[in-house]
Amino acid sequence: MSSTWLITGATSGFGRLVAERALAGGAHVIAVGRRRDRLAELAELAELAELAELAELAESAPHGQVTPVALDLTAPDAQDVLAEAVRSAGGLDVLVNNAGYGLFGAVEQVDADAARAIFDTNVLANLTVLRATLPALRAARGRILQTSSLIGQFAWPSSGLYSASKGAVELISEALAHELAPTGVKVTIIEPGTFATEFSTSLQVVAPSDVYLPTVGQFLTDFAALPPQAFGDPDTVADAIMAVAELDEPPLRLAVGADAVEHIRASLHSRLAELDRWERFPRVPAGEPA
């Protein structure tokens, strides 16, 4: 894999798994994250060729190189830092725009600072990365993988602000795909279901007040009670990202995980049913069934 990848959120979760796979394939990975220690670990893996599954294959196994970029993507200079990293690398073939975190709580109870912060990271920083990388991606007719979520397509009680941030990423990405179509750049939105990553370690939860205990409280209680087997293997998502990046004609959206497919399908059916039921409103004559 003689290509250059830029991966945000590369220090943990899906980002780290994708970075390891890209390195194992011989790519140059511009690894972006806040944690310098995790970035150093990734760079060391590349240097020592420890990504080879068997030690005796280490010399023959392809292995790439890492350019670690310790960066807060909400910082004022983030776009310039990323653009310079891409220039220094000589271009860019694949962007995995993956950084973000979760916030769960009743819409009313998420204060302005928390709401602003999640949009700063999950939406505005995503745009910062796109602005920094799109010139190089156009030149390479490259690929863009935008990490969303199954709940970027709909919302659960408690997920309103997080779902809104991922929904914004979904629609930005859809528009971007149309806008970039003549350039040859392909955009795919990755919609993972529930997987066993470090997502929960950065998850922020606003405890519900009494009025929201039957909805938000019940949902959070039920979610916390899920057994370990309810959480998928995150390798599945990393493998899907690697595979879709190679497709000549990738999908715009890719739901990963049986729960993602199930819940997104149910949401779409519900929306279509509601559209059909109310399409004549308010033109239905009085007394006639809607």
Side-chain angles (χ1 to χ4, degrees):
M1 182 187 297
S2 56
S3 58
T4 300
W5 292 49
L6 190 149
I7 303 171
T8 64
T11 56
S12 64
F14 302 136
R16 175 61 179 259
L17 293 173
V18 172
E20 291 177 355
R21 283 160 171 73
L23 287 169
H28 176 189
V29 174
I30 303 171
V32 183
R34 295 187 182 189
R35 295 191 54 179
R36 294 180 183 274
D37 57 336
R38 292 285 187 90
L39 291 172
E41 289 172 7
L42 192 61
E44 184 178 0
L45 284 174
E47 291 170 3
L48 300 177
E50 291 177 351
L51 296 174
E53 292 185 0
L54 300 174
E56 59 267 25
L57 296 180
E59 290 186 2
S60 60
H63 54 278
Q65 66 177 103
V66 172
T67 296
V69 179
L71 180 66
D72 179 347
L73 292 173
T74 66
D77 64 342
Q79 182 174 332
D80 292 339
V81 171
L82 293 174
E84 179 56 34
V86 171
R87 281 193 293 271
S88 296
L92 186 65
D93 301 289
V94 181
L95 166 65
V96 182
N97 209 354
N98 171 72
Y101 69 93
L103 171 64
F104 286 77
V107 169
E108 180 184 357
Q109 292 186 262
V110 176
D111 66 31
D113 288 341
R116 187 175 298 108
I118 197 167
F119 274 83
D120 282 346
T121 297
N122 290 7
V123 181
L124 299 182
N126 186 288
L127 288 170
T128 293
V129 176
L130 289 172
R131 286 192 295 268
T133 58
L134 277 168
L137 288 165
R138 285 196 301 271
R141 298 174 66 87
R143 302 301 175 90
I144 298 172
L145 291 307
Q146 294 270 81
T147 302
S148 178
S149 167
L150 79 163
I151 49 176
Q153 289 257 16
F154 61 92
W156 287 321
S158 81
S159 79
L161 273 296
Y162 177 70
S163 290
S165 73
K166 290 302 185 179
V169 170
E170 295 253 354
L171 292 179
I172 288 167
S173 301
E174 184 171 340
L176 187 65
H178 293 308
E179 293 162 3
L180 290 174
T183 73
V185 177
K186 306 294 186 182
V187 179
T188 296
I189 306 160
I190 306 297
E191 300 169 332
T194 307
F195 286 88
T197 68
E198 297 177 47
F199 178 80
S200 61
T201 62
S202 62
L203 179 64
Q204 298 181 15
V205 177
V206 179
S209 62
D210 289 348
V211 70
Y212 292 114
L213 285 177
T215 53
V216 173
Q218 188 61 55
F219 175 84
L220 293 174
T221 298
D222 292 345
F223 192 83
L226 289 174
Q229 58 266 31
F231 296 83
D233 183 349
D235 285 331
T236 303
V237 178
D239 290 341
I241 290 173
M242 299 303 295
V244 80
E246 295 293 326
L247 294 179
D248 290 334
E249 295 297 332
L252 174 61
R253 289 178 170 86
L254 182 66
V256 186
D259 61 332
V261 173
E262 175 188 353
H263 288 299
I264 291 172
R265 179 179 285 125
S267 173
L268 292 173
H269 282 317
S270 175
R271 291 172 65 183
L272 284 171
E274 185 174 54
L275 183 67
D276 291 342
R277 179 182 178 187
W278 292 95
E279 65 177 324
R280 296 176 62 192
F281 183 85
R283 296 187 302 277
V284 179
E288 182 179 325

